[in-house]
């Protein structure tokens, strides 16, 4: 998938995932603080949301695997090309492997929250493993490319391994809103950086080519990465503020008496 | 031991150890959740199991050390060859050193659980040291070999140091089932990867040789490593589900009255 | 800003910041221990102080950005020089990016403490991100310079990444006075090292030039860095002792009766 | 100090320090478990012991600094040789800097335990800084030496940075006997490895020279390092068992009635 679309597609997926997480975790945090609106997110609703999220990740991962395997120039499940005595389309296989681990994470999250027969933190651990695995494959992916190409992918590794580390920390500090929002913004960063890589390495027709050996380009790209991170943090902030504002305005409209009743009936769900 | 058998042997040992841990920790977790089947694993039984495990590790390590020393072409405890003025069969000595540290870990675990005169977490710390020591010796083991040879052993280091880190974390988070199962799956990964190394570097007669300088081989091997990890996680999941199912079905057969009695008599063992 | 002043300016800012933190955290620790002087730092006053600090950081960062952009030979917001077909004054842009992240941290700290609508630890996380970002840009800043130049900047990275790590740890261990004072001394180290870099790379007229390839210079500089750290720790110690002495002497002058009243009225502020 | 004695001296100091720590922490752990012998280590006695330890470290560090400065071929406090236009005896200055940080750690530990006017964990933090500083100076100490020389010093770094990490962890997990004993064994490892370096690089007359470029020597030395670690752990174990046995046998001789009285009078000291 060494082309523009091959970077725009995962970029869009990660952008969606980051936005979704920013919204979800902001909402939970906001409702946890204002306990009186507990009926908006009882524990049952939270659990159902997690199941849906797991199913969605599983679904998109399966789509991704199938797409990598059965596109026009895909390997169609052949691993070895016996006529040319070499491995067949390793890139597609590698991308399919990345999707496979995200699929595992989605499937496990689905199972954990639907059946409750496994420790809760397992969903975070497998998500961390999926991020780590993505970074691990990228790490050994870059041998023998041009300097600029290697550099933009190396920068991507910061976002990926940062996300993996954050998710592993959540295994021990579950429910820490800072870690959750940091994960969301690192995910957004990854998504927007995939788009940037696409524009740098495969510029659309009307744009000028980038000189892959110019040292100034390397320095600009590094700085550009910081701007992407600042922008992704800004996006998470905007989402957080919007969600807080919506939750607070809803709270005001809820009649006081009803809140009193809610407190009595749902107090066991909110902790 | 630069041959196929020299990699298959430790591989089999680590596979057995990984399966054993997956089963043991799943069982303990399952019985901890269903407290009414506490009589299956009272604290005394747990302690006895740990003693047996420690003894087994100690026994296999001693066998390993003796085998490395007294095989036909072993060093027979001679460290320096005075006729040729060089060290004698350093490889065998290095492998014996690795076994030595696992033997120490086994012996200490045996002592800690049998006598109770040392802090409990000592067994995890020495196991972590044994894993770290194994990785440390591998790290300085690879100088001057072919690219593919170095690469497959480097990949092994991820599993080894990952296992060491997980075990050290257990010193502070003892009884966290996620860390225990992660350790089991990293141990399985190590075992299956030893087999893979054997097949890659010393292919049995009917298989084709691997070109040690082909970059495509490197990329395939990296991906293959991920598949091994996915497979080892799958194995741990299967073991976990089986154990949970067995524990639950036994629970149903236990008459309710007996449970009541058990609760009264063994409540002090289960915490 | 490859000149003496370009290193002396940030150096002075970091020195001021380090001294301020050393004083602030020493004072809070001293008053927390002697609860009876709680009226010196009620929680409201603490909060106001944090708001002022955030505002000051934001203000200096804005000044920094404006200075980097609109000095005589600055880029004046032009990023690309179309006549020469290359990026325009990337150094200034990079420094502006560093200031931008400190500005973000200051702004967020201001908002968190003024409105209380976000988790408290957010101020530490963004400060940690700002330090990390500074180190990250320096890391890719050094390509193709002389050995001594690279070395003195690499040493700087220890202080920067050490500060980032300490600040991230404070997210989980907020209020640990050791981490806070360590951060202050690493910040002082950074400030004094900036001055040292200025003296080494751009010696004022009367001083001799440094030979950038002499290995002895490298070894001396490394040792010199340790002395800077010892000196910065000493400074923090002096500040700490002074503050403690002042707090204790004020305590003695407060009449006993008044303390009794304070205890009754302000006990809810001190925890 | 590039000679045999220059490595044997610090080696002996670290060996003594490691043995002392192994004994001290074993004793505290043993008496904490058998609360009835609390009178052997009341809190006051512990504090006095820490003060003495701090004073001893400070004393030996001062001796070390003076020895490095004022030996026959020392720098006598001259830093720059104006006749030859180069730095004067940087090695001695570097070693003096290492002693300086240990002296700081000793002095601070002395102050903290004698006056109690600073947070208790400060002694561990400064000891960790001293270890880190030692490793940091060694890291930049090795440029341009022979392969074997670099390798034996690199191995030393594992013990030094391992000790620094362990000591930093104690800031957060104070009183964890495993960390304390691990620190003791890493300190012993450091001491015995200094002796080994002396024997390898400056063999006494009757021993053969080591070929600094033979790869087999490198592999042997790496393995030898592991044996040193196994040996140092064994030493700590022996010390621990001896101390436990002594404490238990003393306990038996204490008349029961006296214990009853002790429990009543000293219960506030033992926690």
């Amino acid at each position: 998938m060494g082309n523009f679309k091959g970077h725009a597609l995962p970029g869009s997926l990660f952008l969606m995932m980051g936005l979704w997480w920013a919204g979800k975790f902001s909402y939970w945090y906001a409702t946890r603080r204002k306990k009186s609106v507990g009926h908006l997110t009882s524990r049952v609703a939270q659990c159902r949301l997690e199941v849906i999220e797991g199913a969605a990740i599983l679904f998109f991962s399966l789509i991704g695997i199938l797409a990598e395997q059965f596109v026009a120039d895909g390997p169609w499940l052949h691993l070895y090309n016996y006529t040319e005595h070499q491995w067949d389309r390793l890139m597609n296989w590698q991308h399919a492997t990345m999707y496979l681990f995200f699929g595992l994470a989605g499937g496990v999250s689905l199972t954990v929250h639907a059946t409750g027969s496994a420790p809760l933190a397992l969903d975070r651990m497998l998500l961390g493993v999926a991020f780590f695995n993505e970074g691990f494959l990228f790490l050994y992916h870059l041998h023998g490319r041009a300097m600029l190409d290697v550099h933009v992918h190396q920068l991507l590794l910061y976002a990926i391994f940062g996300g993996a580390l954050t998710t592993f920390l959540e295994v021990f500090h579950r429910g820490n809103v800072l870690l959750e929002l940091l994960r969301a913004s690192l995910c957004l960063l990854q998504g927007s950086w995939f788009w940037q890589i696409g524009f740098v390495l495969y510029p659309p027709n009307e744009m000028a080519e980038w000189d892959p050996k110019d040292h100034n380009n390397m320095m600009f790209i590094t700085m550009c990465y910081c701007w992407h991170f600042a922008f992704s943090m800004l996006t998470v902030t905007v989402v957080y503020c919007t969600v807080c504002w919506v939750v607070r305005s809803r709270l005001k409209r809820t009649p006081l008496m009803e809140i009193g009743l809610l407190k009595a009936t749902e107090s066991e769900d909110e902790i």
Side-chain angles (χ1 to χ4, degrees), chain A:
Chain A
M1 311 239 290
N3 54 26
F4 184 79
K5 263 165 64 183
H7 287 92
L9 200 89
S12 306
L13 285 176
F14 279 114
L15 280 176
M16 276 165 45
M17 206 147 130
L19 281 175
W20 163 249
W21 281 341
K24 188 180 81 169
F25 293 123
S26 300
Y27 184 66
W28 287 0
Y29 180 72
T31 52
R32 218 161 39 201
R33 278 167 50 126
K34 323 262 177 219
K35 284 197 182 167
S36 43
V37 283
H39 67 294
L40 296 174
T41 52
S42 64
R43 207 190 279 171
V44 177
Q46 267 197 16
C47 192
R48 207 174 302 144
L49 212 63
E50 292 277 28
V51 169
I52 293 168
E53 184 187 314
I57 293 177
L58 183 60
F59 176 74
F60 280 114
S61 303
L62 284 177
I63 295 284
I65 293 175
L66 294 177
E68 289 286 345
Q69 287 290 335
F70 302 113
V71 286
D73 61 341
W76 290 80
L77 294 180
H78 293 107
L79 189 53
Y80 196 76
N81 189 333
Y82 288 96
T83 54
E84 298 183 22
H85 288 288
Q86 64 179 19
W87 302 103
D88 203 19
R89 294 186 183 74
L90 277 177
M91 282 295 178
N92 293 52
W93 277 99
Q94 283 206 338
H95 295 135
T97 304
M98 292 182 192
Y99 285 118
L100 171 69
F101 273 78
F102 279 101
L104 277 178
V108 164
S109 177
L110 178 69
T111 318
V112 166
H113 291 285
T115 69
S117 65
L120 207 62
L122 195 63
D123 59 342
R124 300 297 152 91
M125 201 170 81
L126 277 217
L127 192 64
V129 166
F131 274 123
F132 181 82
N133 177 67
E134 189 197 347
F136 177 76
L137 280 173
F138 265 116
L139 199 67
Y140 288 103
H141 201 257
L142 302 172
H143 196 266
R145 299 200 189 177
M147 193 174 73
L148 188 69
D149 195 345
V150 168
H151 188 61
V152 290
H153 281 95
Q154 265 177 354
L155 292 177
L156 188 63
L157 289 179
Y158 282 88
I160 297 176
F161 283 124
L165 187 67
T166 311
T167 320
F168 275 122
L169 276 177
E170 279 185 67
V171 172
F172 299 101
H173 297 269
R174 195 184 182 84
N176 185 325
V177 71
L178 286 177
L179 285 177
E180 292 166 341
L181 293 183
L182 183 61
R183 171 152 61 99
S185 63
L186 284 170
C187 192
L188 280 175
L189 169 61
Q190 208 188 129
S192 69
W193 195 247
F194 262 117
W195 276 89
Q196 179 77 46
I197 292 179
F199 277 111
V200 169
L201 299 184
Y202 314 100
N205 290 335
E206 72 272 19
M207 284 172 66
E209 293 274 331
W210 290 59
D211 178 3
K213 279 167 197 160
D214 184 3
H215 183 61
N216 277 326
N217 277 341
M218 302 268 294
M219 279 179 64
F220 172 72
I221 276 292
T222 311
M223 188 169 57
C224 192
Y225 188 72
C226 294
W227 297 349
H228 275 260
F229 189 38
F231 188 76
S232 78
M233 287 199 299
L234 199 74
T235 312
V236 171
T237 309
V238 169
V239 170
Y240 176 81
C241 292
T242 314
V243 168
C244 280
W245 178 79
V246 168
V247 168
R248 209 179 308 136
S249 63
R250 273 207 196 189
L251 177 64
K252 277 177 192 153
R253 269 181 281 136
T254 318
L256 272 173
M257 197 191 70
E258 194 185 328
I259 290 174
L261 289 174
L262 282 165
K263 265 186 184 154
T265 53
E266 298 200 3
S267 57
E268 73 277 18
D269 289 338
E270 293 164 18
I271 300 146

